[in-house]
Amino acid sequence: MSTGTLLAIIIPVVVVIALIAVASSLALRRRRLRERFGPEYDRTVERADSRMAAERELSAREKRHDALDIKPLPSDVRDRYAREWGSVQEEFVDRPENAVHDADRLVTSLMHERGYPTEDFEQQLKDLSVEHSQTLEHYRAAHKVDELSTRHQATTEQLRSAMVHYRALFDELLSDGGQTRHARA
């Protein structure tokens, strides 16, 4: 066989193998991100210009999260937060709007204590999405009601629902025990 014929066979084979490798790598990455981010994956894809852009965003969230110092809570601190949550729930009976605001502050304080930045709500969502994607919708829903209640536009049922939503994230953050990717790896 001549060199030209050999190259005509080898080059397309190498190109096909490279394309298969790239496609497999992208499919594995997509599957890993879907599993990691759950419903947040679809939400991010829906809002992004393209699937690749969304996946780059999610990967960037992972890198940012890995750089954070997320830590477990000592048992005495967990107990203190649990007592504070109990007080917030009791407050709901007489002052539901105040209780929702206090629940928001308590969840934010717990996030801060665990090592999450808490300056910007949208960034909080992104940071939480890496390890707490299953409860993120609870946080979004509770925060919307908290904003409504600030303007005194939330119904008692919405306020009750906000407390339930805050509780879902609160419980997950409290019981997480610092089981971050660093600790699991």
Side-chain angles (χ1 to χ4, degrees):
M1 243 192 246
S2 73
T3 305
T5 306
L6 202 52
L7 286 176
I9 294 171
I10 292 174
I11 290 174
V13 168
V14 168
V15 168
V16 167
I17 290 172
L19 289 174
I20 290 171
V22 168
S24 295
S25 173
L26 290 174
L28 286 172
R29 175 182 169 199
R30 181 168 295 144
R31 188 174 82 224
R32 184 187 63 77
L33 289 171
R34 276 183 186 267
E35 289 172 2
R36 178 86 191 256
F37 286 93
E40 189 65 15
Y41 176 90
D42 293 328
R43 182 183 182 89
T44 305
V45 167
E46 188 177 292
R47 292 176 169 231
D49 294 335
S50 69
R51 183 176 302 275
M52 289 297 288
E55 290 175 355
R56 278 192 302 275
E57 161 70 20
L58 294 171
S59 292
R61 289 183 193 185
E62 285 180 318
K63 285 180 185 163
R64 176 183 160 85
H65 186 273
D66 288 347
L68 298 175
D69 184 23
I70 308 300
K71 54 194 169 283
L73 295 175
S75 60
D76 62 320
V77 174
R78 273 197 314 274
D79 293 344
R80 176 176 52 85
Y81 273 104
R83 284 191 306 276
E84 288 180 40
W85 182 264
S87 296
V88 169
Q89 282 188 177
E90 288 174 12
E91 178 185 23
F92 185 81
V93 174
D94 294 324
R95 295 185 311 277
E97 282 186 343
N98 291 350
V100 168
H101 297 314
D102 289 346
D104 181 72
R105 281 191 288 276
L106 188 58
V107 165
T108 302
S109 174
L110 178 55
M111 287 171 52
H112 181 73
E113 185 105 23
R114 291 285 317 278
Y116 287 98
T118 56
E119 297 79 37
D120 174 53
F121 179 71
E122 289 302 318
Q123 188 60 54
Q124 286 176 10
L125 291 173
K126 290 176 182 179
D127 292 338
L128 287 170
S129 72
V130 177
E131 293 291 332
H132 304 283
S133 64
Q134 299 303 317
T135 55
L136 212 51
E137 280 308 309
H138 287 287
Y139 191 35
R140 281 187 179 101
H143 188 75
K144 284 180 185 175
V145 174
D146 185 47
E147 289 175 336
L148 282 174
S149 73
T150 300
R151 297 185 305 269
H152 306 291
Q153 296 175 340
T155 67
T156 303
E157 180 55 28
Q158 287 173 315
L159 295 169
R160 186 200 65 75
S161 178
M163 291 296 290
V164 170
H165 290 307
Y166 276 127
R167 179 66 188 249
L169 179 60
F170 179 85
D171 284 347
E172 188 169 309
L173 286 168
L174 192 64
S175 67
D176 190 32
Q179 297 297 314
T180 61
R181 277 190 349 159
H182 301 300
R184 285 186 225 139

